[in-house]
């Protein structure tokens, strides 16, 4: 029988925590202190990979024996990276531009395996999913922005909350749009000789 490993989520995102819990996992949450503003890369996909690795690495340095998962998401829309909107006006403007169009949601996730206080392995992947937006009315956008939800998420939208009706469809992994690819995590664990079922809470 496999020895249970401690799983640590290096993120304050309630959506990522909910995804892991729904998949039968019970991670401890340890938020990293990474300054995201200093991380730069020529491409959006590269930036989310660097951010995910930085977050996982920052938390891994505090651990003795754990599997640490770090993640970061950005929407790429017409070549521009979109994180969380700065304010309500920016969120409304984004929806004015995105309505009826599509963007690519990039989610980077890093799995750091820590043994005896040292990182034994680092595995970083990026999952990219095309998101096709609906065309909500101005009144719908105003109501949505007033809830505060779009101010807390990359791209100013969600699939697992009030923003779901404003997304027509996705091409790719819906979970990665929420914040973490469970399919990719399973593969990352597999490369460490672990099954995701080994981490199910008993």
């Amino acid at each position: 029988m496999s020895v249970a490993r401690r799983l640590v989520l290096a993120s304050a995102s309630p959506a990522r925590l909910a995804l892991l819990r729904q998949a039968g996992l019970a991670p401890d949450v340890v938020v990293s202190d990474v300054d995201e503003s200093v991380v730069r890369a020529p491409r959006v996909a590269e930036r989310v990979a660097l951010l995910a690795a930085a977050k996982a690495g920052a938390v891994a340095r505090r651990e003795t024996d754990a599997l640490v998962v770090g993640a970061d998401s950005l929407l790429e829309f017409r070549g521009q990276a979109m994180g969380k909107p700065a304010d309500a006006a920016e969120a409304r403007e984004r929806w004015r531009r995105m309505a009826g169009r599509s963007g690519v949601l990039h989610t980077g996730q890093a799995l750091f395996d820590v043994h005896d206080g040292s990182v034994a392995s680092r595995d970083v992947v990026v999952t990219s999913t095309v998101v096709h937006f609906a065309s909500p009315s101005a009144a719908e956008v105003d109501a949505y922005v007033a809830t505060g939800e779009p101010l807390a998420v990359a791209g100013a939208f969600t699939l697992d909350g009030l923003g779901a009706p404003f997304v027509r469809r996705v091409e790719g992994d819906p979970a990665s749009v929420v914040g973490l690819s469970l399919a990719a995590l399973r593969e990352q664990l597999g490369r460490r000789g672990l099954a995701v079922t080994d981490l199910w809470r008993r």
Side-chain angles (χ1 to χ4, degrees):
M1 183 175 178
S2 299
V3 177
R5 296 292 308 279
R6 178 168 175 257
L7 182 65
V8 175
L9 175 62
S11 172
S13 166
R16 292 189 179 111
L17 179 59
L19 277 171
L20 291 171
R21 285 176 170 168
Q22 289 163 11
L25 308 175
D28 293 327
V29 174
V30 180
V31 181
S32 74
D33 54 1
V34 171
D35 181 357
E36 298 184 25
S37 67
V38 303
V39 178
R40 293 284 181 263
R43 295 192 306 169
V44 180
E46 293 172 0
R47 187 177 177 201
V48 295
L50 290 173
L51 284 165
K55 292 176 182 180
V59 172
R61 286 192 290 272
R62 310 177 205 170
E63 298 295 329
T64 301
D65 194 308
L67 296 163
V68 180
V69 177
D72 193 84
S73 298
L74 288 171
L75 177 70
E76 183 175 3
F77 183 75
R78 296 190 170 183
Q80 179 184 358
M82 291 187 174
K84 298 174 184 176
D87 52 32
E90 184 178 345
R92 280 192 292 271
E93 172 58 20
R94 285 192 187 180
W95 269 102
R96 186 191 67 77
R97 295 172 56 205
M98 297 187 311
R101 298 182 174 90
S102 62
V104 180
L105 197 290
H106 300 284
T107 292
Q109 62 190 61
L111 178 67
F112 280 36
D113 191 350
V114 183
H115 282 288
D116 297 325
S118 298
V119 176
S121 73
R122 298 169 176 82
D123 190 333
V124 184
V125 299
V126 176
T127 304
S128 300
T129 301
V130 180
V131 181
H132 298 273
F133 298 104
S135 298
S137 67
E140 286 175 318
V141 170
D142 285 344
Y144 182 42
V145 172
T147 69
E149 181 181 271
L151 303 182
V153 289
F157 77 99
T158 61
L159 270 188
D160 60 333
L162 299 173
F166 307 132
V167 176
R168 289 192 294 112
R169 63 188 175 92
V170 300
E171 297 175 43
D173 184 345
S176 74
V177 179
V178 176
L180 191 75
S181 172
L182 296 170
L185 178 60
R186 175 181 169 272
E187 293 171 356
Q188 288 177 302
L189 291 168
R191 288 191 283 272
R192 297 301 301 154
L194 297 167
V196 69
T197 53
D198 294 336
L199 301 182
W200 279 352
R201 53 180 180 263
R202 299 293 193 265

